[in-house]
Amino acid sequence: MTRPELATTAAEAFARIHDGAPDGLWSSPGRVNLIGEHTDYNEGFVFPFAIDRHTVVAARLRDDRFVRVSSGLREGVEEIAIDELAPDALGGWSAYALGVIWAAGELGADLSEVRGLDLHIESDVPLGAGLSSSAALEGAVAVAIDELWGLGLDRRTLARVGRLAENEAVGAPTGIMDQSAVLLGQRDSGVLLDCRSLESRIVPLAFEAQGLALLVIDTRVEHSHASGGYTERRASCEKGAAGLGVASLRDVTVGDLERAERVLDDETFRRVRHIVTENARVLAVVAALGDSGPRSIGLLLAESHASMRDDFEISVPELDLAVSTAVAAGAIGSRMTGGGFGGAAIALVERGDLAKVSRSIHEAFAAAGFAEPATFEVLPSQGAGRV
């Protein structure tokens, strides 16, 4: 549930900046990916869940065709006519919000006669932490315009809208996992998503019932999806698929890895091996949750982190220290989460051990000379909607 004070802040800031009350408030959560990293753009499997950190959008219809966007995190107001929306006309932070409106039109929404909007954005999803603050913003704007303009788009289409906005308007080559998680999530459950068919299934996590907690360790090492290593890893996956003669790495199985090692160069093979084994781990985690419960997934989380560290090479020393310290302090399992090159790790812990694990991580970071991390519990939560 969205924190009441966040919604109040959004409404009050909207009234101050846009001269009057909003027509409504819409909220979207961030997300944690329990397992399945970089598999989404390879048409594989992912298993994220929505969290109890949110972005809130206060919105009001205008009498013209302009969209004006403000944010509690930025100075000023961005303004553009709906008819001028296009990826090359957008830039900066507002591209996430304005790109959603453009993308809705690209995916079939009739925007020819809709009224303009005033929007104000507030968020408590940490930026750059791998908790998908971007998808939270896209999800909140998507459900707001769907309701205000009566677009009638279903949740899966809204997820596609968010992905198109991020890919084209923002320029980040991400898959559809984040947008699906924030729009489809349910309380104490994860979303098993097949990124090829876009079919999804809600899978109970039972963390709450089993007395478990999910600790997020934000290393404060910021990353960016729009440049650098993320783009390089995606290119490596495409190179691997081409070298193996398949449409995507979804078509490669664990049994194919022996041949892959023979025909690919070492770096490309290791990138491929991560994707192939990570897909298998996603399905193994879902099966284990159903058969044995959440305490049985610790080893799979550890294997996932090792694969991202050694084969995909997207971890950093701060993430490795967070994971190893959490396990040494009694966590059931731990891994980095998100796109990598910084961001956050997660640790599944007994609720009674939460303070001890958190304290151990802070002490380890101080001893290593790293910046102080932020550690906090997240709860698997409901997806985007009206506040």
Side-chain angles (χ1 to χ4, degrees), residues 20-35:
D23 291 335
L25 302 170
W26 290 263
S27 172
S28 176
R31 67 96 187 93
V32 157
N33 191 23
L34 188 63
I35 195 164

Side-chain angles (χ1 to χ4, degrees), residues 76-96:
V77 178
E78 301 279 345
E79 180 177 302
I80 191 170
I82 292 174
D83 299 316
E84 295 175 1
L85 288 170
D88 59 3
L90 305 178
W93 69 270
S94 64
Y96 291 96

Side-chain angles (χ1 to χ4, degrees), residues 74 86-103 133-135 137-138 161-174 179 223-227 231:
R74 300 288 190 277
D88 59 3
L90 305 178
W93 69 270
S94 64
Y96 291 96
L98 297 171
V100 166
I101 299 172
W102 165 80
S133 56
S134 58
L137 174 51
E138 292 153 2
V161 165
R163 177 180 62 176
L164 182 61
E166 189 141 351
N167 290 171
E168 299 297 331
V170 178
T174 57
Q179 293 81 8
H223 63 183
S224 172
H225 279 176
S227 61
T231 303

Side-chain angles (χ1 to χ4, degrees), residues 168-190:
E168 299 297 331
V170 178
T174 57
I176 201 169
M177 172 184 70
D178 296 350
Q179 293 81 8
S180 297
V182 305
L183 285 157
L184 301 175
Q186 294 185 17
R187 180 178 173 180
D188 204 17
S189 299

Side-chain angles (χ1 to χ4, degrees), residues 53-130:
R53 295 288 186 108
H54 293 84
T55 294
V56 173
V57 172
R60 183 181 63 202
L61 290 166
R62 295 173 56 87
D63 292 329
D64 56 23
R65 294 268 294 168
F66 281 85
V67 179
R68 301 177 76 246
V69 188
S70 58
S71 168
L73 298 176
R74 300 288 190 277
E75 293 291 331
V77 178
E78 301 279 345
E79 180 177 302
I80 191 170
I82 292 174
D83 299 316
E84 295 175 1
L85 288 170
D88 59 3
L90 305 178
W93 69 270
S94 64
Y96 291 96
L98 297 171
V100 166
I101 299 172
W102 165 80
E106 292 294 298
L107 292 177
D110 183 2
L111 306 184
S112 62
E113 297 183 3
V114 299
R115 294 160 60 186
L117 293 169
D118 290 326
L119 304 172
H120 181 77
I121 299 155
E122 296 284 348
S123 183
D124 63 4
V125 183
L127 300 178

